[in-house]
Amino acid sequence: MNRIEQFEELRPLLFAIAYRILGSVTEAEDAVQETWLRYERTSEEPESPKAFLSTVVTRIAIDVLRSARVRREEYVGEWFPEPLLADPYEDPERSAELADSVSMAALLLLERLSPLERAVFVLREVFGFGFADIASAVDRSEDACRQLAVRARRHMDAGRPRFEADRRAREELAARFFEAMRDGTMDGLRDLLAADVQLVADGGGKAPQLARGLVGADNVARVLLVLFPEMVDLGVGFEQHVVNGQPGAIMRDGDGNVVTVWTLDVLDGRIQTIRAVLNPDKLGHVGPVADAWALHYAARDARRRSR
């Protein structure tokens, strides 16, 4: 097997590592591409291409994350990861764990860790790397990596998100949720929401504010039942889709351009959190991006005409 074949075989794993460290599809893809360039320039043949390439992509991701954290501290409003429609790395025996580890809730929890803690946690807890390989990847001793792993695990366990164990039940509830929005029934929609459900949006100051931390089944249902008919009238359609391993949807305008991507956290037969990514900078990898401001002004004008 030549280097190109070795790299392509490992590409899904490298992307999966980078995305979980960075929370960005575009930055993860860039990290993987840079990993290939460094591999291509390496004159010696590594004993283990997997260990070598995992080390390179981890170090690149850590460096990118350190600079990204400054930007995220200055970010306007809520910051969410870029939505991931499909994780290229598969392990049938751990599919549920891998899906939960890439959820928006889990990635937001990882944001609380230092870059080194985050990298160690991802390599150890998500992908099962040994401490010798982790130590090489992050350039620390094995003992130091064990301490980093303990601290990271403690933080993650303290706030670890819980999801409905039955994945089919999650998808069925999501389908009922979107159907209830289409039907426009307050009681039907509210019954699918947890009492303390949250509706949160990430526009990054570059898209209309969908909701500013709405909490409570009545408040969230009321906003959704106003929002959905307006979007339908403007030609926006809902495409139910798994997003970050959880039920969600892609919303497109009449020309097929992406308006927003939603994810739903489901537990105990109710929707606990609705997250909407509106920032156009985070949607380009999903497809051509709609002009959300134009849609916003069109909806506003339609409301005025109907009064």
Side-chain angles (χ1 to χ4, degrees):
M1 186 181 294
N2 61 37
R3 283 195 173 186
I4 295 176
E5 292 169 335
Q6 290 172 342
F7 183 82
E8 290 303 323
E9 184 177 86
L10 291 166
R11 181 189 287 273
L13 172 64
L14 302 178
F15 175 86
I17 290 171
Y19 178 75
R20 285 166 173 82
I21 293 175
L22 293 167
S24 166
V25 172
T26 51
E27 289 177 346
E29 289 174 342
D30 289 345
V32 172
Q33 181 60 27
E34 177 62 24
T35 298
W36 162 248
L37 295 175
R38 295 189 188 184
Y39 189 34
E40 191 179 33
R41 293 195 296 264
T42 302
S43 57
E44 297 182 7
E45 199 64 39
E47 182 177 339
S48 168
K50 177 182 177 181
F52 175 82
L53 292 169
S54 298
T55 292
V56 173
V57 80
T58 297
R59 291 184 179 182
I60 292 170
I62 289 172
D63 289 342
V64 173
L65 181 60
R66 283 174 173 152
S67 61
R69 287 170 76 89
V70 176
R71 297 194 303 273
R72 291 175 191 178
E73 289 172 0
E74 300 171 349
Y75 195 80
V76 177
E78 294 281 344
W79 180 91
F80 293 161
E82 289 183 6
L84 181 68
L85 302 188
D87 187 351
Y89 180 75
E90 296 181 356
D91 182 346
E93 295 183 358
R94 301 179 60 247
S95 59
E97 297 170 58
L98 287 169
D100 289 351
S101 75
V102 83
S103 70
M104 287 213 173
L107 292 173
L108 288 170
L109 195 56
L110 280 171
E111 283 289 306
R112 303 179 187 179
L113 305 182
S114 71
L116 278 179
E117 288 172 341
R118 184 165 181 164
V120 169
F121 183 88
V122 167
L123 292 175
R124 180 64 180 173
E125 300 297 326
V126 179
F127 297 103
F129 278 66
F131 279 110
D133 288 335
I134 296 172
S136 174
V138 302
D139 196 22
R140 294 292 188 276
S141 69
E142 289 188 42
D143 285 343
C145 288
R146 286 189 174 88
Q147 293 174 11
L148 287 165
V150 168
R151 288 204 301 269
R153 194 181 305 115
R154 186 183 303 125
H155 284 302
M156 293 298 289
D157 286 346
R160 187 181 298 275
R162 295 188 302 127
F163 303 108
E164 190 77 44
D166 187 332
R167 302 189 66 78
R168 179 174 293 181
R170 298 187 208 178
E171 295 300 326
E172 289 176 352
L173 180 62
R176 289 163 54 204
F177 168 75
F178 291 117
E179 188 62 34
M181 284 206 298
R182 292 187 186 96
D183 292 344
T185 57
M186 181 69 173
D187 290 343
L189 184 58
R190 184 175 50 204
D191 289 346
L192 301 175
L193 305 175
D196 57 350
V197 63
Q198 297 182 60
L199 172 59
V200 194
D202 171 357
K206 299 182 178 183
Q209 184 66 40
L210 172 63
R212 192 176 296 278
L214 273 179
V215 179
D218 285 342
N219 293 331
V220 171
R222 192 174 298 111
V223 167
L224 292 178
L225 291 179
V226 170
L227 175 69
F228 187 79
E230 288 184 349
M231 296 180 75
V232 170
D233 289 345
L234 294 172
V236 175
F238 283 63
E239 173 190 325
Q240 195 171 339
H241 202 292
V242 174
V243 179
N244 286 79
Q246 308 302 318
I250 304 169
M251 300 173 199
R252 303 179 188 271
D253 67 13
D255 296 322
N257 300 316
V258 181
V259 178
T260 178
V261 175
W262 287 17
T263 64
L264 311 177
D265 290 352
V266 177
L267 180 65
D268 297 332
R270 296 287 187 275
I271 294 170
Q272 308 289 325
T273 308
I274 304 165
R275 294 185 179 89
V277 179
L278 288 155
N279 186 338
D281 295 345
K282 297 184 177 184
L283 299 173
H285 64 283
V286 179
V289 181
D291 186 340
W293 283 108
L295 290 169
H296 170 74
Y297 292 132
R300 184 192 63 184
D301 293 344
R303 284 195 300 269
R304 287 175 176 173
R305 288 194 298 270
S306 65
R307 290 172 183 170

